[in-house]
């Protein structure tokens, strides 16, 4: 199969151009994604490039990262973008560029930078357009399945968040018992709620509920965390996810925790631009470094309930640090948590448990498919793997 492929260079495969300047003040709401070095960064009412399109991070920490836009888009000046696919399948070009070590072609000094002239000479072997199309069918089947699983999870979490808001923010069942709103819950659930409110310093809450320190609703396991430096992680590659303050950082050969946890940023990546905490819902056998608090719900509060509640808390008043943001454990306990009756907390946990079980299952399926895609991709686009074998692997995975 490989002998049928054309020997060329990256510059003979696609042509690249620097993206276009667009300041935050110039950016206007619109239908066209703004594609930068880290992927989509908002939208704009004007497109500068036709889709489908491919961009490559040009500078900064995301230099060399490759992103794809199905529709017309604005390529930002932090990236290079393909202006001419030269007859090649755009999505195949995306896969090829994604497989290359573009980050290793740094032409900058203090700031990492990617120069198209540095990478144009990279040797490539490229199949015919017909074979490119077949390869894209195989890989895009995996990508589409992964995207569907992630979209489903977004919908499931939104459903859980809407239920949380109805019960614990808008107090809809209490208002229904008071006769000011229509009841929407089954009678046995509706009966768990009172029909009156009590006054608290934080405002009215359902009778029998009260605000407590977050500590009353949370178990914390920070003493078990262990940081691993990058060099050490490189020597200890394995099957267990290694988490930092804001994201999955690596895979290592051992684990510290086993269960369902909520990670909440402690150092550095603590809050988003609106002041809401950066959290990660994680499960199974995992390793966590010392930049994230490791939490579980307690006193009848499920870990999922805890997560949904914290997503709506502005934590800026509890953060310290001028250079690097920090949310200490003592400051975290100053956050107030609305504690319902045990019967309401238990009923809520039971209602959302199937949603989050499905979220976990979908996430694991997506990870399995992503691993399969990442295994197939370099072998397919280099001609080392026959298409029938790849198609059989995808069919076996159920994509």
């Amino acid at each position: 199969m490989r002998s049928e492929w054309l020997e060329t260079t990256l510059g003979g495969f696609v042509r690249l151009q620097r993206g276009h300047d667009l300041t935050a003040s110039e950016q206007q709401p619109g239908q066209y994604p703004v594609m930068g070095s880290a992927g989509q960064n908002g939208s704009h009412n004007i497109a500068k490039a036709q889709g489908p399109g491919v961009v490559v991070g040009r500078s900064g920490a995301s230099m060399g990262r490759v992103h794809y836009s199905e529709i017309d888009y604005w390529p930002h000046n932090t990236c290079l973008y393909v202006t001419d696919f030269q007859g090649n399948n755009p999505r195949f070009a995306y896969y090829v560029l994604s497989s290359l070590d573009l980050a290793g072609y740094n032409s900058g000094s203090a700031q990492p930078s990617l120069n198209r002239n540095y990478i144009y000479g990279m040797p490539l072997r490229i199949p015919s357009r017909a074979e490119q199309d077949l390869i894209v069918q195989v890989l895009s089947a995996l990508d589409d399945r992964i995207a569907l699983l992630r979209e489903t999870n977004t919908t499931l979490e939104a459903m859980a968040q809407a239920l949380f808001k109805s019960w614990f923010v808008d107090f809809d069942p209490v208002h229904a018992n008071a006769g000011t709103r229509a009841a929407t819950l089954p009678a046995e659930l509706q009966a768990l709620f009172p029909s009156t409110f009590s006054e608290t310093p934080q405002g009215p809450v359902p009778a029998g509920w009260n605000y407590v320190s977050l500590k009353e609703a949370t178990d914390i396991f920070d003493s078990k965390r262990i940081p691993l430096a990058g060099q050490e992680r490189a020597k200890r590659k394995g099957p267990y996810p290694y988490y930092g303050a804001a994201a999955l950082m690596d895979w290592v050969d051992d684990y510290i925790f086993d269960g369902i946890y909520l990670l909440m940023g402690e150092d550095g990546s603590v809050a988003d631009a609106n002041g809401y905490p950066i959290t990660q819902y994680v499960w199974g056998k995992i390793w966590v470094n010392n930049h994230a608090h490791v939490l579980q719900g307690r006193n009848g509060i499920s870990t999922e309930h805890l997560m949904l509640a914290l997503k709506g808390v502005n934590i800026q008043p509890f953060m310290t640090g001028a250079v690097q943001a920090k949310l200490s454990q003592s400051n975290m306990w100053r956050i107030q948590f609305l504690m319902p009756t045990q019967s309401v907390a238990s009923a809520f946990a039971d209602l959302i448990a199937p949603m989050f079980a499905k979220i976990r299952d979908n996430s694991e399926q997506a990870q399995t498919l992503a691993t399969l895609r990442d295994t197939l991709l370099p072998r397919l686009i280099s001609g080392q793997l026959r298409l029938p074998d790849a198609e059989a692997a995808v069919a076996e995975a159920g994509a």
Side-chain angles (χ1 to χ4, degrees), residues 198-209:
S198 300
E199 287 297 329
T200 73
Q202 294 82 10
V205 301
W209 299 18

Side-chain angles (χ1 to χ4, degrees), residues 27-59:
Q27 194 167 329
Q28 300 294 323
Q31 60 181 319
Y32 303 109
V34 176
M35 303 296 293
S37 62
Q40 183 173 351
N41 183 21
S43 59
H44 194 44
N45 62 346
I46 300 172
K48 278 282 191 179
Q50 290 185 332
V54 177
V55 303
V56 182
R58 186 182 63 82
S59 61

Side-chain angles (χ1 to χ4, degrees), residues 161-175:
Q161 192 74 61
L163 185 63
F164 173 85
K165 183 175 183 293
S166 175
W167 283 29
F168 302 107
V169 178
D170 298 334
F171 307 128
D172 288 331
V174 182
H175 288 289

Side-chain angles (χ1 to χ4, degrees), residues 153-377:
N153 279 0
T154 298
T155 300
L156 287 169
E157 186 170 333
M159 291 168 58
Q161 192 74 61
L163 185 63
F164 173 85
K165 183 175 183 293
S166 175
W167 283 29
F168 302 107
V169 178
D170 298 334
F171 307 128
D172 288 331
V174 182
H175 288 289
N177 283 343
T180 57
R181 293 178 193 170
T184 58
L185 296 178
E188 63 272 17
L189 286 180
Q190 192 68 49
L192 300 177
F193 293 84
S195 59
T196 59
F197 290 88
S198 300
E199 287 297 329
T200 73
Q202 294 82 10
V205 301
W209 299 18
N210 62 296
Y211 278 98
V212 298
S213 163
L214 183 63
K215 187 175 185 178
E216 299 302 315
T218 309
D219 280 326
I220 191 164
F221 303 91
D222 286 4
S223 62
K224 294 179 63 177
R225 304 171 303 176
I226 303 174
L228 293 176
Q231 289 183 340
E232 189 172 0
R233 297 200 305 273
K235 298 175 184 176
R236 299 186 55 176
K237 293 297 183 184
Y240 303 108
Y242 177 95
Y243 290 96
L248 172 65
M249 298 177 62
D250 215 332
W251 297 82
V252 293
D253 61 356
D254 203 353
Y255 63 93
I256 304 173
F257 303 96
D258 187 4
I260 298 174
Y261 300 92
L262 177 66
L263 306 185
M264 191 168 172
E266 178 181 4
D267 292 299
S269 299
V270 174
D272 64 18
N274 296 314
Y276 295 111
I278 292 175
T279 60
Q280 300 172 81
Y281 179 68
V282 299
W283 58 91
K285 295 177 172 64
I286 63 171
W287 192 299
V288 184
N289 72 12
N290 60 333
H291 296 296
H293 295 295
V294 183
L295 313 174
Q296 285 181 330
R298 67 185 291 248
N299 285 337
I301 301 299
S302 68
T303 300
E304 293 79 10
H305 183 162
L306 181 67
M307 179 188 73
L308 295 169
L310 286 171
K311 280 181 177 290
V313 176
N314 187 318
I315 63 170
Q316 285 183 326
F318 310 102
M319 292 163 50
T320 58
V323 177
Q324 177 169 281
K326 181 176 179 63
L327 178 66
S328 68
Q329 188 176 138
S330 59
N331 278 347
M332 185 169 61
W333 295 151
R334 293 171 50 213
I335 297 172
Q336 295 292 292
F337 181 89
L338 180 58
M339 182 68 78
T341 60
Q342 289 296 299
S343 58
V344 168
S346 178
F348 184 69
D350 289 344
L351 277 177
I352 65 173
M355 300 180 193
F356 282 93
K358 185 62 175 174
I359 285 173
R360 295 192 298 272
D361 182 59
N362 286 347
S363 296
E364 289 167 6
Q365 286 187 52
Q367 181 59 54
T368 298
L369 294 174
T371 300
L372 175 60
R373 177 201 59 201
D374 294 344
T375 301
L376 295 178
L377 191 154

Side-chain angles (χ1 to χ4, degrees), residues 89-111:
N89 184 306
R91 194 151 181 169
F92 181 79
Y94 162 72
Y95 289 129
V96 169
L97 291 171
S98 297
S99 72
L100 302 176
D101 180 23
L102 297 176
Y105 283 75
N106 178 20
S107 63
S109 51
Q111 169 92 334

